[in-house]
Amino acid sequence: MIDFTLPEIRRLLIKLALRVVGTSDHIWSWSRFRRRRQHQARLSHYKRRGYPLT
């Protein structure tokens, strides 16, 4: 999983403070899903271009 980015932290704080939609569990699980998917996309991107995966 990738680290938290500034926009992700900002989005989480806004969602948790306002709680417009969903519970805090839903907000955190969406963030985990999103970061996990970004990590998978990054690996795929590097693999496709032949870079060594670290």
Side-chain angles (χ1 to χ4, degrees), residues 9-30:
I9 293 170
R10 185 180 304 132
R11 190 182 80 74
L12 285 171
L13 289 174
I14 290 169
K15 292 286 186 180
L16 290 171
L18 297 179
R19 293 217 185 161
V20 175
V21 178
T23 63
S24 61
D25 289 336
H26 174 74
I27 294 168
W28 284 110
S29 65
W30 174 253

Side-chain angles (χ1 to χ4, degrees), residues 29-43:
S29 65
W30 174 253
S31 175
R32 280 190 301 272
F33 165 77
R34 205 167 153 238
R35 290 185 299 122
R36 187 173 51 242
R37 179 63 188 108
Q38 287 174 338
H39 176 71
Q40 291 169 347
R42 180 182 288 174
L43 289 179

Side-chain angles (χ1 to χ4, degrees), residues 2 4 24 43 51-52:
I2 67 170
F4 287 102
S24 61
L43 289 179
Y51 293 112

